[in-house]
PDB file of all heavy atoms in Angstrom:
ATOM      1  N   GLN A 221       3.650  30.342 -19.274  1.00 91.00           N
ATOM      2  CA  GLN A 221       3.223  30.515 -20.664  1.00 91.00           C
ATOM      3  C   GLN A 221       4.186  29.826 -21.634  1.00 91.00           C
ATOM      4  O   GLN A 221       3.760  29.171 -22.578  1.00 91.00           O
ATOM      5  CB  GLN A 221       3.105  31.998 -20.987  1.00 91.00           C
ATOM      6  CG  GLN A 221       1.989  32.721 -20.201  1.00 91.00           C
ATOM      7  CD  GLN A 221       1.967  34.195 -20.466  1.00 91.00           C
ATOM      8  OE1 GLN A 221       2.863  34.753 -21.138  1.00 91.00           O
ATOM      9  NE2 GLN A 221       0.954  34.880 -19.944  1.00 91.00           N
ATOM     10  N   CYS A 222       5.495  29.978 -21.387  1.00 91.00           N
ATOM     11  CA  CYS A 222       6.483  29.334 -22.252  1.00 91.00           C
ATOM     12  C   CYS A 222       6.386  27.809 -22.195  1.00 91.00           C
ATOM     13  O   CYS A 222       6.522  27.126 -23.213  1.00 91.00           O
ATOM     14  CB  CYS A 222       7.879  29.799 -21.899  1.00 91.00           C
ATOM     15  SG  CYS A 222       8.224  31.543 -22.244  1.00 91.00           S
ATOM     16  N   LEU A 223       6.174  27.277 -21.009  1.00 90.00           N
ATOM     17  CA  LEU A 223       6.055  25.836 -20.854  1.00 90.00           C
ATOM     18  C   LEU A 223       4.840  25.295 -21.616  1.00 90.00           C
ATOM     19  O   LEU A 223       4.940  24.247 -22.280  1.00 90.00           O
ATOM     20  CB  LEU A 223       5.959  25.465 -19.372  1.00 90.00           C
ATOM     21  CG  LEU A 223       7.263  25.466 -18.570  1.00 90.00           C
ATOM     22  CD1 LEU A 223       6.990  25.347 -17.092  1.00 90.00           C
ATOM     23  CD2 LEU A 223       8.174  24.336 -19.024  1.00 90.00           C
ATOM     24  N   GLU A 224       3.732  25.960 -21.529  1.00 88.00           N
ATOM     25  CA  GLU A 224       2.520  25.480 -22.214  1.00 88.00           C
ATOM     26  C   GLU A 224       2.662  25.565 -23.724  1.00 88.00           C
ATOM     27  O   GLU A 224       1.955  24.869 -24.447  1.00 88.00           O
ATOM     28  CB  GLU A 224       1.309  26.252 -21.715  1.00 88.00           C
ATOM     29  CG  GLU A 224       0.971  25.943 -20.261  1.00 88.00           C
ATOM     30  CD  GLU A 224      -0.276  26.666 -19.787  1.00 88.00           C
ATOM     31  OE1 GLU A 224      -0.668  27.657 -20.456  1.00 88.00           O
ATOM     32  OE2 GLU A 224      -0.853  26.274 -18.761  1.00 88.00           O
ATOM     33  N   GLN A 225       3.570  26.395 -24.199  1.00 87.00           N
ATOM     34  CA  GLN A 225       3.747  26.539 -25.662  1.00 87.00           C
ATOM     35  C   GLN A 225       4.861  25.645 -26.198  1.00 87.00           C
ATOM     36  O   GLN A 225       4.753  25.147 -27.325  1.00 87.00           O
ATOM     37  CB  GLN A 225       4.053  28.001 -25.990  1.00 87.00           C
ATOM     38  CG  GLN A 225       2.911  28.972 -25.722  1.00 87.00           C
ATOM     39  CD  GLN A 225       3.291  30.415 -25.924  1.00 87.00           C
ATOM     40  OE1 GLN A 225       4.426  30.710 -26.314  1.00 87.00           O
ATOM     41  NE2 GLN A 225       2.353  31.327 -25.687  1.00 87.00           N
ATOM     42  N   ARG A 226       5.913  25.439 -25.412  1.00 86.00           N
ATOM     43  CA  ARG A 226       7.110  24.800 -25.961  1.00 86.00           C
ATOM     44  C   ARG A 226       7.476  23.476 -25.284  1.00 86.00           C
ATOM     45  O   ARG A 226       8.391  22.785 -25.750  1.00 86.00           O
ATOM     46  CB  ARG A 226       8.323  25.732 -25.816  1.00 86.00           C
ATOM     47  CG  ARG A 226       8.118  27.090 -26.411  1.00 86.00           C
ATOM     48  CD  ARG A 226       9.335  27.976 -26.117  1.00 86.00           C
ATOM     49  NE  ARG A 226       9.146  29.347 -26.576  1.00 86.00           N
ATOM     50  CZ  ARG A 226      10.011  30.321 -26.360  1.00 86.00           C
ATOM     51  NH1 ARG A 226      11.137  30.057 -25.671  1.00 86.00           N
ATOM     52  NH2 ARG A 226       9.784  31.535 -26.785  1.00 86.00           N
ATOM     53  N   PHE A 227       6.819  23.117 -24.194  1.00 86.00           N
ATOM     54  CA  PHE A 227       7.297  21.970 -23.418  1.00 86.00           C
ATOM     55  C   PHE A 227       7.286  20.685 -24.232  1.00 86.00           C
ATOM     56  O   PHE A 227       8.293  19.972 -24.309  1.00 86.00           O
ATOM     57  CB  PHE A 227       6.443  21.799 -22.154  1.00 86.00           C
ATOM     58  CG  PHE A 227       6.820  20.597 -21.335  1.00 86.00           C
ATOM     59  CD1 PHE A 227       7.985  20.605 -20.591  1.00 86.00           C
ATOM     60  CD2 PHE A 227       6.021  19.466 -21.314  1.00 86.00           C
ATOM     61  CE1 PHE A 227       8.350  19.501 -19.825  1.00 86.00           C
ATOM     62  CE2 PHE A 227       6.382  18.363 -20.553  1.00 86.00           C
ATOM     63  CZ  PHE A 227       7.546  18.390 -19.800  1.00 86.00           C
ATOM     64  N   TYR A 228       6.170  20.359 -24.859  1.00 84.00           N
ATOM     65  CA  TYR A 228       6.063  19.099 -25.604  1.00 84.00           C
ATOM     66  C   TYR A 228       6.898  19.099 -26.873  1.00 84.00           C
ATOM     67  O   TYR A 228       7.168  18.033 -27.439  1.00 84.00           O
ATOM     68  CB  TYR A 228       4.602  18.807 -25.927  1.00 84.00           C
ATOM     69  CG  TYR A 228       3.817  18.285 -24.752  1.00 84.00           C
ATOM     70  CD1 TYR A 228       2.679  18.916 -24.293  1.00 84.00           C
ATOM     71  CD2 TYR A 228       4.229  17.134 -24.076  1.00 84.00           C
ATOM     72  CE1 TYR A 228       1.949  18.455 -23.209  1.00 84.00           C
ATOM     73  CE2 TYR A 228       3.530  16.644 -22.992  1.00 84.00           C
ATOM     74  CZ  TYR A 228       2.400  17.302 -22.571  1.00 84.00           C
ATOM     75  OH  TYR A 228       1.683  16.837 -21.488  1.00 84.00           O
ATOM     76  N   ASP A 229       7.305  20.260 -27.351  1.00 83.00           N
ATOM     77  CA  ASP A 229       8.144  20.330 -28.545  1.00 83.00           C
ATOM     78  C   ASP A 229       9.631  20.187 -28.213  1.00 83.00           C
ATOM     79  O   ASP A 229      10.460  20.122 -29.124  1.00 83.00           O
ATOM     80  CB  ASP A 229       7.916  21.666 -29.282  1.00 83.00           C
ATOM     81  CG  ASP A 229       6.494  21.812 -29.790  1.00 83.00           C
ATOM     82  OD1 ASP A 229       5.884  20.757 -30.064  1.00 83.00           O
ATOM     83  OD2 ASP A 229       6.005  22.936 -29.886  1.00 83.00           O
ATOM     84  N   GLY A 230       9.948  20.127 -26.936  1.00 80.00           N
ATOM     85  CA  GLY A 230      11.337  20.003 -26.515  1.00 80.00           C
ATOM     86  C   GLY A 230      12.166  21.241 -26.708  1.00 80.00           C
ATOM     87  O   GLY A 230      13.410  21.165 -26.742  1.00 80.00           O
ATOM     88  N   LEU A 231      11.544  22.421 -26.806  1.00 79.00           N
ATOM     89  CA  LEU A 231      12.246  23.668 -27.066  1.00 79.00           C
ATOM     90  C   LEU A 231      12.477  24.480 -25.794  1.00 79.00           C
ATOM     91  O   LEU A 231      13.077  25.569 -25.869  1.00 79.00           O
ATOM     92  CB  LEU A 231      11.465  24.522 -28.077  1.00 79.00           C
ATOM     93  CG  LEU A 231      11.215  23.852 -29.421  1.00 79.00           C
ATOM     94  CD1 LEU A 231      10.362  24.782 -30.305  1.00 79.00           C
ATOM     95  CD2 LEU A 231      12.537  23.530 -30.125  1.00 79.00           C
ATOM     96  N   PHE A 232      11.973  23.981 -24.655  1.00 85.00           N
ATOM     97  CA  PHE A 232      12.125  24.752 -23.418  1.00 85.00           C
ATOM     98  C   PHE A 232      13.421  24.314 -22.711  1.00 85.00           C
ATOM     99  O   PHE A 232      13.672  23.126 -22.537  1.00 85.00           O
ATOM    100  CB  PHE A 232      10.936  24.533 -22.503  1.00 85.00           C
ATOM    101  CG  PHE A 232      10.965  25.375 -21.246  1.00 85.00           C
ATOM    102  CD1 PHE A 232      10.498  26.667 -21.259  1.00 85.00           C
ATOM    103  CD2 PHE A 232      11.479  24.856 -20.061  1.00 85.00           C
ATOM    104  CE1 PHE A 232      10.523  27.454 -20.109  1.00 85.00           C
ATOM    105  CE2 PHE A 232      11.521  25.631 -18.925  1.00 85.00           C
ATOM    106  CZ  PHE A 232      11.041  26.944 -18.957  1.00 85.00           C
ATOM    107  N   GLY A 233      14.209  25.293 -22.285  1.00 86.00           N
ATOM    108  CA  GLY A 233      15.457  25.005 -21.587  1.00 86.00           C
ATOM    109  C   GLY A 233      15.349  25.362 -20.129  1.00 86.00           C
ATOM    110  O   GLY A 233      14.833  26.430 -19.756  1.00 86.00           O
ATOM    111  N   TRP A 234      15.854  24.458 -19.266  1.00 89.00           N
ATOM    112  CA  TRP A 234      15.784  24.650 -17.820  1.00 89.00           C
ATOM    113  C   TRP A 234      17.060  25.241 -17.241  1.00 89.00           C
ATOM    114  O   TRP A 234      17.115  25.484 -16.023  1.00 89.00           O
ATOM    115  CB  TRP A 234      15.473  23.318 -17.138  1.00 89.00           C
ATOM    116  CG  TRP A 234      14.130  22.757 -17.466  1.00 89.00           C
ATOM    117  CD1 TRP A 234      13.818  21.913 -18.494  1.00 89.00           C
ATOM    118  CD2 TRP A 234      12.906  23.031 -16.776  1.00 89.00           C
ATOM    119  NE1 TRP A 234      12.479  21.636 -18.474  1.00 89.00           N
ATOM    120  CE2 TRP A 234      11.891  22.301 -17.435  1.00 89.00           C
ATOM    121  CE3 TRP A 234      12.570  23.799 -15.673  1.00 89.00           C
ATOM    122  CZ2 TRP A 234      10.553  22.331 -17.026  1.00 89.00           C
ATOM    123  CZ3 TRP A 234      11.241  23.829 -15.256  1.00 89.00           C
ATOM    124  CH2 TRP A 234      10.257  23.099 -15.914  1.00 89.00           C
ATOM    125  N   ASP A 235      18.077  25.438 -18.022  1.00 88.00           N
ATOM    126  CA  ASP A 235      19.355  25.868 -17.489  1.00 88.00           C
ATOM    127  C   ASP A 235      19.299  27.272 -16.886  1.00 88.00           C
ATOM    128  O   ASP A 235      20.000  27.558 -15.899  1.00 88.00           O
ATOM    129  CB  ASP A 235      20.436  25.809 -18.580  1.00 88.00           C
ATOM    130  CG  ASP A 235      20.678  24.402 -19.073  1.00 88.00           C
ATOM    131  OD1 ASP A 235      20.402  23.468 -18.290  1.00 88.00           O
ATOM    132  OD2 ASP A 235      21.114  24.233 -20.227  1.00 88.00           O
ATOM    133  N   ASP A 236      18.474  28.133 -17.456  1.00 89.00           N
ATOM    134  CA  ASP A 236      18.437  29.531 -16.997  1.00 89.00           C
ATOM    135  C   ASP A 236      17.311  29.789 -16.002  1.00 89.00           C
ATOM    136  O   ASP A 236      17.064  30.943 -15.643  1.00 89.00           O
ATOM    137  CB  ASP A 236      18.265  30.473 -18.202  1.00 89.00           C
ATOM    138  CG  ASP A 236      19.441  30.370 -19.161  1.00 89.00           C
ATOM    139  OD1 ASP A 236      20.553  30.061 -18.694  1.00 89.00           O
ATOM    140  OD2 ASP A 236      19.233  30.566 -20.398  1.00 89.00           O
ATOM    141  N   VAL A 237      16.615  28.746 -15.555  1.00 91.00           N
ATOM    142  CA  VAL A 237      15.495  28.923 -14.645  1.00 91.00           C
ATOM    143  C   VAL A 237      16.033  29.099 -13.222  1.00 91.00           C
ATOM    144  O   VAL A 237      16.846  28.276 -12.749  1.00 91.00           O
ATOM    145  CB  VAL A 237      14.524  27.739 -14.702  1.00 91.00           C
ATOM    146  CG1 VAL A 237      13.399  27.891 -13.696  1.00 91.00           C
ATOM    147  CG2 VAL A 237      13.954  27.593 -16.107  1.00 91.00           C
ATOM    148  N   ASN A 238      15.602  30.143 -12.555  1.00 93.00           N
ATOM    149  CA  ASN A 238      15.988  30.389 -11.165  1.00 93.00           C
ATOM    150  C   ASN A 238      15.376  29.324 -10.263  1.00 93.00           C
ATOM    151  O   ASN A 238      14.209  28.972 -10.410  1.00 93.00           O
ATOM    152  CB  ASN A 238      15.552  31.795 -10.747  1.00 93.00           C
ATOM    153  CG  ASN A 238      16.017  32.169  -9.365  1.00 93.00           C
ATOM    154  OD1 ASN A 238      15.475  31.689  -8.360  1.00 93.00           O
ATOM    155  ND2 ASN A 238      17.028  33.009  -9.283  1.00 93.00           N
ATOM    156  N   PRO A 239      16.139  28.773  -9.288  1.00 94.00           N
ATOM    157  CA  PRO A 239      15.564  27.731  -8.418  1.00 94.00           C
ATOM    158  C   PRO A 239      14.327  28.166  -7.656  1.00 94.00           C
ATOM    159  O   PRO A 239      13.389  27.371  -7.487  1.00 94.00           O
ATOM    160  CB  PRO A 239      16.719  27.414  -7.465  1.00 94.00           C
ATOM    161  CG  PRO A 239      17.967  27.808  -8.201  1.00 94.00           C
ATOM    162  CD  PRO A 239      17.579  28.988  -9.028  1.00 94.00           C
ATOM    163  N   HIS A 240      14.286  29.418  -7.213  1.00 95.00           N
ATOM    164  CA  HIS A 240      13.104  29.893  -6.501  1.00 95.00           C
ATOM    165  C   HIS A 240      11.899  30.006  -7.448  1.00 95.00           C
ATOM    166  O   HIS A 240      10.755  29.778  -7.024  1.00 95.00           O
ATOM    167  CB  HIS A 240      13.393  31.263  -5.861  1.00 95.00           C
ATOM    168  CG  HIS A 240      14.455  31.197  -4.803  1.00 95.00           C
ATOM    169  ND1 HIS A 240      14.328  30.424  -3.681  1.00 95.00           N
ATOM    170  CD2 HIS A 240      15.673  31.811  -4.699  1.00 95.00           C
ATOM    171  CE1 HIS A 240      15.412  30.572  -2.920  1.00 95.00           C
ATOM    172  NE2 HIS A 240      16.234  31.387  -3.524  1.00 95.00           N
ATOM    173  N   ASP A 241      12.158  30.340  -8.718  1.00 94.00           N
ATOM    174  CA  ASP A 241      11.066  30.364  -9.695  1.00 94.00           C
ATOM    175  C   ASP A 241      10.582  28.928  -9.969  1.00 94.00           C
ATOM    176  O   ASP A 241       9.382  28.693 -10.161  1.00 94.00           O
ATOM    177  CB  ASP A 241      11.539  31.005 -11.004  1.00 94.00           C
ATOM    178  CG  ASP A 241      11.878  32.489 -10.818  1.00 94.00           C
ATOM    179  OD1 ASP A 241      11.410  33.087  -9.836  1.00 94.00           O
ATOM    180  OD2 ASP A 241      12.613  33.030 -11.675  1.00 94.00           O
ATOM    181  N   ALA A 242      11.505  27.959  -9.992  1.00 94.00           N
ATOM    182  CA  ALA A 242      11.113  26.563 -10.205  1.00 94.00           C
ATOM    183  C   ALA A 242      10.263  26.062  -9.041  1.00 94.00           C
ATOM    184  O   ALA A 242       9.282  25.341  -9.243  1.00 94.00           O
ATOM    185  CB  ALA A 242      12.357  25.695 -10.382  1.00 94.00           C
ATOM    186  N   SER A 243      10.644  26.454  -7.802  1.00 94.00           N
ATOM    187  CA  SER A 243       9.828  26.058  -6.674  1.00 94.00           C
ATOM    188  C   SER A 243       8.448  26.720  -6.734  1.00 94.00           C
ATOM    189  O   SER A 243       7.444  26.116  -6.318  1.00 94.00           O
ATOM    190  CB  SER A 243      10.540  26.409  -5.362  1.00 94.00           C
ATOM    191  OG  SER A 243      10.632  27.815  -5.207  1.00 94.00           O
ATOM    192  N   GLY A 244       8.391  27.949  -7.261  1.00 94.00           N
ATOM    193  CA  GLY A 244       7.098  28.599  -7.458  1.00 94.00           C
ATOM    194  C   GLY A 244       6.240  27.868  -8.475  1.00 94.00           C
ATOM    195  O   GLY A 244       5.017  27.753  -8.306  1.00 94.00           O
ATOM    196  N   LEU A 245       6.878  27.309  -9.527  1.00 94.00           N
ATOM    197  CA  LEU A 245       6.132  26.507 -10.514  1.00 94.00           C
ATOM    198  C   LEU A 245       5.605  25.240  -9.882  1.00 94.00           C
ATOM    199  O   LEU A 245       4.484  24.799 -10.187  1.00 94.00           O
ATOM    200  CB  LEU A 245       7.049  26.170 -11.692  1.00 94.00           C
ATOM    201  CG  LEU A 245       7.367  27.288 -12.682  1.00 94.00           C
ATOM    202  CD1 LEU A 245       8.399  26.815 -13.703  1.00 94.00           C
ATOM    203  CD2 LEU A 245       6.113  27.760 -13.411  1.00 94.00           C
TER     204      LEU A 245
END
Side-chain angles (χ1 to χ4, degrees):
Q221 294 176 352
C222 292
L223 282 169
E224 292 183 342
Q225 294 174 1
R226 306 176 185 175
F227 177 73
Y228 283 123
D229 296 332
L231 302 176
F232 185 84
W234 295 90
D235 296 336
D236 298 331
V237 177
N238 185 284
H240 296 300
D241 295 340
S243 67
L245 286 174

